[in-house]
Amino acid sequence: MLEIKNLHVKAGDKEILRGVDLKVGAGEVHVILGPNGSGKSTLMNVILGHPKYQITSGEIFFNGEDLTALKTFERARRGIFLSFQNPEEIPGITVENMLRTAKQAVTGEKIKILAFHKELLALMNELQINPEYANRYMNVGFSGGEKKRNEILQLLTLQPKLALLDETDSGLDVDAVEIVSSGVAKFHNENNSCIIITHNAQILKHLPVSSVHIFLDGKIILHGGAELVGKVSEHGYAHFEGKS
Amino acid sequence: MKNYIQDIERALYDVRDEDKSIYKSDAGLTEEIIRDISARKKDPAWMLEFRLKSLEVYKKIELPTWGADISELNMDEIVTYVKPNAAQVSDWSQVPAEIKKTFDRLGIPDAEKKSLAGVGAQYDSEVVYHSIQKRLTDLGVVYTDMETALVEHEDIVREYFMTLVPPKDHKFAALHGAVWSGGSFVYVPAGVDVKIPLQSYFRLNAAGAGQFEHTLIIVEPNAKLHFIEGCSAPKYNVTNLHAGCVELFVKEGARLRYSTIENWSRNMMNLNTKRALVERNGLIEWVSGSFGSHVSMLYPCSVLHGEGARAEFTGVTFAGKGQNLDTGAIVVHAAPKTSANINTRTISKSGGAATYRSAVKVTKNAPYAKCSVNCESLMLDDESRSDTLPVMDVEGDEADIGHEAKIGRISEEAIFYLMARGISEEEARAMIVRGFVEPIAKELPLEYAVEMNNLINLELEGQL
């Protein structure tokens, strides 16, 4: 589904990614672990074509198509979704309006307003989001936990092929992590894939983890299985330094 | 800054008679021309006299030295702006292509387009207009053009005409007093609730309308009215000065909502004066959208004259390429427990300049006055300008005055967020701008909110 080859990325003069290789197949769940500032979020943003970053070399393919030639919204329409670490507040645009517009954009179909409204309320109920939030402005005045649940609401509404989850569980209490991880588990099936950046094993509880990647200083230094999650929480990242 | 404050004060509702300037002869506008206009319009004698007095005042007053740059107005050739019927284009083919294109984009039917451009005869809405007339007459409401009012309701016109905006107020008020033509007259008797909004739109192409038109509205005690001025389609005039005047009298316990969305063609200097006098427990609500014109100076003024009188001002200004839109509001608290809310959004893009300018004055006679001002500006690119110039002048005791101003640029992160959800860049920008004006759009009647959205989309087109 996703194939990244020897990706080098700069922001201004600063090199942030120094040769990332990653291959994600359909139905797989990949976990990226790594210290803050190692470039994990940059990788997520680059996959969606954030204008702040320049690719200096390397390739990104999505279902055989070169992504780097596409604009952000075109990548989203191909089925890539990012759950943001810090979701933007957008005054004047309600959650429902934005989601309906987005759904229309990614499916290319006219959305029936009433049917969509019902569907949205059902999902909000599952994620324990107050239904009044459908009429609130996007993330404006939401708590950290509410913003993250709102991201999962969008994930479930838009049903992408590849979900990138950038610390969707950070800053949440135990109950909220459970809601979020159940949401991701509900989304995942054998036809779609997830890349999850986390510091916390709890979000992975309901998910069949295929591979774990240790990210350090702009590249992946170690690929492994689910067992790596335990090793990191036991020994920290220092343990892995120099292992590439 | 000092100058500016003094000038704003002069524009307030006071009838000072100062004559500081030197008498200056003006080659452009002569008594003969005024007499000619008056004769064509079959004015009563007092109106001719009023025009001639205004002409004298006009000749004495200097141009304002603050606000937007209006130096390209050639006052020596003012007569070319004033000639009767100069505003009428005689041929559809002379209407500029971009204006026609905008009509198409807004989905305006052909007959209406021609009327808006001043080349067509009255269109279908004549019928609508007449059916409305019947219902209004049954209620005792008068809704007619100013010329007819001057014949059929001369006493009322004479009692109120330019008493709220006297010709000595400023140079363009004096010009207006001398050459005014066309406009609307509405009289709502005490206790009558006019449930349908009245729209000047229905009679747009009266000769000379839209240039020096005069609007006079009197809402008697405990009556209610919503009046909608103009329309969102670009009005095209060959001549490029608009110096209209709007006088609104809101009596005890009465309510008046006055809505405008104007989209003058981009050659227009819009120097309009609008003022409301609000008596005890009365309410004036302004809804004001400024999209068009080359230069605008527009500050609707609410004089809260009776105890407990209220004003609500809601405004949107969108300045694009080559536009300098200087807009805002004035509130004078002249009685106890008066209150006002000013809420505005200004947008500038492609090198456009938008200035928010307001003056809030609380006189000694206005204890417990309450006023809150909230103005926000959004710049869509680095070449555009936005300024905020609020002035507060508080003499009254126990006044509660709040002010909140925000100026910002469109957030690239927000655009990325929306694009990451599959929304195109163009639509993402439009959504953010629409979201920015949403608190205002909510206040508009539905068809106006829709038209405002269309206008925003038109304005944003070609941004990318």
Side-chain angles (χ1 to χ4, degrees):
Chain A
M1 185 171 284
L2 180 75
E3 190 170 5
I4 297 173
K5 290 182 194 163
N6 194 26
L7 187 68
H8 289 256
V9 167
K10 271 183 169 179
D13 293 335
K14 200 178 159 209
E15 184 163 48
I16 300 181
L17 300 184
R18 308 157 189 265
V20 175
D21 291 284
L22 183 66
K23 222 172 161 172
V24 177
E28 294 179 357
V29 174
H30 288 244
V31 176
I32 295 178
L33 302 172
N36 291 331
S38 58
K40 305 182 303 292
S41 288
T42 300
L43 177 63
M44 301 287 115
N45 279 291
V46 168
I47 293 172
L48 266 170
H50 195 294
K52 199 167 110 188
Y53 305 105
Q54 301 88 45
I55 295 177
T56 49
S57 67
E59 295 171 308
I60 311 175
F61 286 96
F62 184 67
N63 289 328
E65 186 179 17
D66 179 6
L67 271 192
T68 57
L70 300 178
K71 292 186 169 149
T72 298
F73 66 88
E74 293 167 325
R75 301 181 197 203
R77 289 176 190 181
R78 297 292 193 277
I80 303 177
F81 178 90
L82 171 61
S83 169
F84 284 76
Q85 193 176 343
N86 300 304
E88 280 292 309
E89 299 189 2
I90 308 179
I93 305 177
T94 65
V95 169
E96 178 159 358
N97 241 325
M98 144 116 191
L99 274 179
R100 201 173 52 231
T101 309
K103 177 109 184 172
Q104 200 147 304
V106 296
T107 60
E109 286 163 20
K110 189 101 187 112
I111 303 296
K112 292 205 173 73
I113 291 180
L114 279 178
F116 180 81
H117 180 71
K118 270 189 174 169
E119 192 185 311
L120 185 70
L121 288 190
L123 286 174
M124 291 176 85
N125 186 40
E126 274 180 53
L127 294 168
Q128 298 178 33
I129 300 173
N130 182 339
E132 282 167 21
Y133 276 51
N135 293 320
R136 291 203 27 192
Y137 296 147
M138 202 67 195
N139 295 322
V140 177
F142 289 24
S143 70
E146 287 167 343
K147 285 181 182 171
K148 296 299 176 72
R149 271 184 278 164
N150 191 23
E151 295 292 289
I152 300 305
L153 176 65
Q154 296 177 60
L155 169 73
L156 291 172
T157 304
L158 300 178
Q159 291 293 328
K161 297 191 182 96
L162 172 65
L164 312 173
L165 306 172
D166 188 358
E167 298 199 19
T168 302
D169 54 351
S170 68
L172 301 188
D173 62 38
V174 182
D175 294 341
V177 173
E178 178 58 29
I179 295 169
V180 164
S181 68
S182 308
V184 177
K186 178 185 159 75
F187 160 74
H188 181 252
N189 61 39
E190 73 274 14
N191 298 317
N192 63 36
S193 316
C194 300
I195 302 176
I196 301 174
I197 296 176
T198 185
H199 293 294
N200 183 345
Q202 204 196 342
I203 191 174
L204 308 173
K205 208 168 70 185
H206 305 293
L207 293 167
V209 174
S210 327
S211 325
V212 175
H213 314 275
I214 308 286
F215 212 94
L216 262 183
D217 201 21
K219 53 181 157 183
I220 292 169
I221 55 151
L222 191 66
H223 300 274
E227 75 286 350
L228 277 181
V229 177
K231 281 195 181 162
V232 166
S233 39
E234 206 177 315
H235 306 292
Y237 296 111
H239 178 69
F240 299 96
E241 272 174 48
K243 294 223 168 155
S244 54
Chain B
M1 280 312 287
K2 189 77 183 142
N3 240 345
Y4 150 62
I5 295 167
Q6 284 168 345
D7 278 324
I8 280 273
E9 276 182 354
R10 194 180 60 197
L12 301 180
Y13 178 55
D14 61 4
V15 199
R16 262 182 294 164
D17 189 3
E18 275 179 285
D19 184 11
K20 288 180 286 193
S21 54
I22 331 146
Y23 198 98
K24 191 175 106 190
S25 80
D26 190 319
L29 204 54
T30 63
E31 187 177 323
E32 201 187 342
I33 292 169
I34 302 302
R35 283 185 185 278
D36 180 50
I37 291 173
S38 187
R40 279 167 195 261
K41 302 187 79 62
K42 304 191 176 65
D43 279 343
W46 67 267
M47 183 54 84
L48 170 61
E49 211 166 294
F50 189 95
R51 289 183 188 275
L52 292 173
K53 272 189 188 155
S54 300
L55 175 66
E56 291 310 304
V57 177
Y58 167 77
K59 286 178 174 175
K60 288 181 200 167
I61 300 182
E62 296 291 332
L63 283 170
T65 51
W66 54 275
D69 179 11
I70 51 170
S71 58
E72 62 192 79
L73 263 185
N74 186 344
M75 298 309 283
D76 290 336
E77 286 175 16
I78 194 74
V79 66
T80 58
Y81 300 108
V82 170
K83 276 185 195 150
N85 290 329
Q88 298 285 96
V89 193
S90 56
D91 188 350
W92 177 243
S93 65
Q94 285 171 19
V95 177
E98 83 260 15
I99 297 262
K100 291 180 182 170
K101 205 178 119 204
T102 311
F103 285 153
D104 288 338
R105 288 296 314 273
L106 289 169
I108 294 169
D110 276 344
E112 205 169 323
K113 284 179 205 167
K114 295 200 172 182
S115 171
L116 287 167
V119 297
Q122 197 75 313
Y123 51 94
D124 292 354
S125 66
E126 181 87 10
V127 181
V128 182
Y129 171 56
H130 280 299
S131 73
I132 290 172
Q133 277 295 13
K134 169 79 175 75
R135 289 172 60 186
L136 295 177
T137 312
D138 292 346
L139 292 168
V141 174
V142 180
Y143 176 34
T144 183
D145 59 273
M146 276 303 293
E147 280 77 2
T148 306
L150 202 46
V151 175
E152 292 177 5
H153 306 279
E154 187 178 344
D155 291 351
I156 305 179
V157 175
R158 193 168 184 176
E159 184 183 343
Y160 292 97
F161 185 83
M162 290 198 87
T163 54
L164 190 50
V165 181
K168 57 188 64 151
D169 215 82
H170 57 81
K171 190 160 184 90
F172 295 99
L175 177 65
H176 179 90
V179 304
W180 76 271
S181 174
S184 301
F185 173 82
V186 184
Y187 178 86
V188 185
V192 170
D193 179 358
V194 183
K195 293 207 166 68
I196 42 158
L198 299 187
Q199 309 201 21
S200 66
Y201 182 67
F202 291 141
R203 290 181 296 97
L204 204 73
N205 63 347
Q211 204 179 357
F212 297 106
E213 86 283 7
H214 194 92
T215 303
L216 177 59
I217 298 179
I218 298 143
V219 187
E220 293 286 14
N222 301 314
K224 247 170 115 173
L225 173 70
H226 182 187
F227 189 84
I228 299 175
E229 174 196 62
C231 81
S232 62
K235 284 188 257 178
Y236 180 69
N237 288 56
V238 180
T239 49
N240 60 2
L241 172 65
H242 176 232
C245 178
V246 173
E247 296 181 289
L248 310 175
F249 294 86
V250 182
K251 301 295 180 65
E252 208 172 308
R255 300 173 73 120
L256 171 60
R257 172 177 265 231
Y258 192 88
S259 308
T260 315
I261 291 193
E262 63 80 9
N263 189 17
W264 292 104
S265 57
R266 299 299 159 86
N267 61 339
M268 183 64 82
M269 299 279 221
N270 183 28
L271 309 169
N272 217 355
T273 308
K274 301 183 179 186
R275 199 164 293 166
L277 180 67
V278 189
E279 301 297 350
R280 188 185 168 90
N281 293 331
L283 170 65
I284 177 75
E285 295 172 278
W286 303 94
V287 177
S288 183
S290 298
F291 287 81
S293 85
H294 170 47
V295 173
S296 275
M297 288 173 74
L298 179 62
Y299 326 96
C301 170
S302 309
V303 181
L304 304 177
H305 187 253
E307 184 168 335
R310 289 183 294 148
E312 298 276 340
F313 182 88
T314 310
V316 177
T317 295
F318 197 133
K321 189 175 178 181
Q323 290 183 284
N324 182 356
L325 306 186
D326 197 309
T327 60
I330 302 169
V331 175
V332 184
H333 293 267
K337 296 179 186 160
T338 47
S339 63
N341 261 315
I342 298 174
N343 194 6
T344 67
R345 299 287 181 275
T346 59
I347 300 161
S348 52
K349 67 142 204 160
S350 308
T355 301
Y356 166 80
R357 192 187 295 269
S358 70
V360 173
K361 185 180 171 85
V362 179
T363 67
K364 289 193 188 75
N365 307 324
Y368 305 105
K370 230 183 186 172
C371 184
S372 100
V373 178
N374 175 313
C375 51
E376 294 185 21
S377 308
L378 184 67
M379 288 174 282
L380 301 190
D381 49 51
D382 292 339
E383 34 168 358
S384 303
R385 266 199 73 129
S386 198
D387 294 289
T388 299
L389 301 166
V391 174
M392 308 264 175
D393 176 5
V394 181
E395 292 173 358
D397 291 330
E398 306 286 340
D400 175 1
I401 310 287
H403 175 76
E404 206 179 312
K406 257 196 239 171
I407 296 189
R409 284 180 201 288
I410 197 161
S411 155
E412 295 300 324
E413 289 300 327
I415 291 169
F416 180 70
Y417 186 76
L418 292 174
M419 288 207 292
R421 299 298 180 247
I423 296 164
S424 72
E425 179 165 0
E426 196 170 346
E427 176 60 11
R429 280 182 194 276
M431 281 177 86
I432 289 167
V433 173
R434 284 198 301 262
F436 175 72
V437 301
E438 217 268 342
I440 308 283
K442 265 196 322 219
E443 298 299 313
L444 296 172
L446 182 65
E447 70 270 26
Y448 269 65
V450 170
E451 288 193 36
M452 192 171 81
N453 272 343
N454 285 344
L455 277 176
I456 288 173
N457 290 343
L458 273 179
E459 292 297 333
L460 291 172
E461 233 171 55
Q463 250 293 97
L464 303 170

